[in-house]
Amino acid sequence: MNYFSGEYECTIDPKGRMLLPSRVKVRLPESNASELVLQRSTDPCLVLYTMPEFEKLAEKVNSLNEFDEDTASIQRNFHRSCSDVELDNAGRFLIPKRMLEHAGIVKDVILVGLGNRLEIWNPETYDQYLIKDANQMKSMLKTHLGTPNQNK
């Protein structure tokens, strides 16, 4: 697994292309570094996956019972929200117009590394989704990760 972290300020050019920062590009898998999948998130942002990471997620979605009405809807909407993208020689990729609209992106973006994936946000929207209270963050970490002694 390739590990992505940090925040990067990027811009979308007039043709709808985004340049991946060099610190992100060096973390892409060598075998298929130019093959990525862009997906509309359930939040107002876009998610960028390497092909191996996307295939893991797609396998889980595809393993659902296609004859169940809810899971068929999940599969349909999951796959329609994706677009294969490829890096050009300059390290840019094209973001489809409908995806830009979904995330409210015009020019400036924040690219956020989240371990196995990257999110692309409109900076103002991104700021609304951040936890700003350290005590709230501490409480959430305790709830979801437990205390250090519980994890031993």
Side-chain angles (χ1 to χ4, degrees):
M1 175 179 99
N2 299 84
Y3 184 80
F4 303 104
S5 64
E7 297 176 336
Y8 306 88
E9 294 179 4
C10 303
T11 57
I12 306 298
D13 72 15
K15 294 182 180 179
R17 298 174 300 189
M18 184 178 134
L19 176 67
L20 272 185
S22 58
R23 288 190 174 176
V24 172
K25 283 192 291 191
V26 299
R27 294 195 171 267
L28 295 174
E30 289 182 30
S31 62
N32 54 1
S34 67
E35 298 175 4
L36 304 167
V37 177
L38 189 62
Q39 183 177 41
R40 287 188 291 271
S41 174
T42 55
D43 289 326
C45 69
L46 304 175
V47 184
L48 188 64
Y49 293 96
T50 62
M51 189 58 76
E53 287 300 320
F54 179 77
E55 287 172 345
K56 289 179 193 175
L57 181 58
E59 186 175 319
K60 289 178 183 179
V61 172
N62 292 338
S63 70
L64 299 172
N65 179 358
E66 66 186 89
F67 300 107
D68 176 81
E69 188 175 322
D70 286 344
T71 58
S73 182
I74 289 169
Q75 290 171 333
R76 183 177 310 108
N77 285 283
F78 174 84
H79 287 291
R80 74 176 267 285
S81 70
C82 300
S83 180
D84 291 346
V85 295
E86 192 168 329
L87 295 180
D88 64 14
N89 291 336
R92 299 172 301 195
F93 64 95
L94 180 67
I95 301 176
K97 185 178 177 184
R98 289 181 63 146
M99 289 191 169
L100 290 170
E101 291 169 354
H102 166 80
I105 294 171
V106 177
K107 182 179 178 186
D108 296 323
V109 298
I110 301 291
L111 179 69
V112 184
L114 295 175
N116 68 336
R117 65 195 185 281
L118 297 146
E119 288 183 339
I120 304 169
W121 287 87
N122 169 307
E124 291 80 26
T125 306
Y126 176 62
D127 194 50
Q128 296 170 18
Y129 280 75
L130 296 177
I131 299 169
K132 296 173 180 70
D133 180 357
N135 288 326
Q136 180 186 5
M137 181 67 174
K138 185 188 301 184
S139 175
M140 291 173 75
L141 286 169
K142 186 176 177 182
T143 299
H144 294 281
L145 298 178
T147 60
N149 294 334
Q150 288 178 324
N151 293 332
K152 290 183 179 181

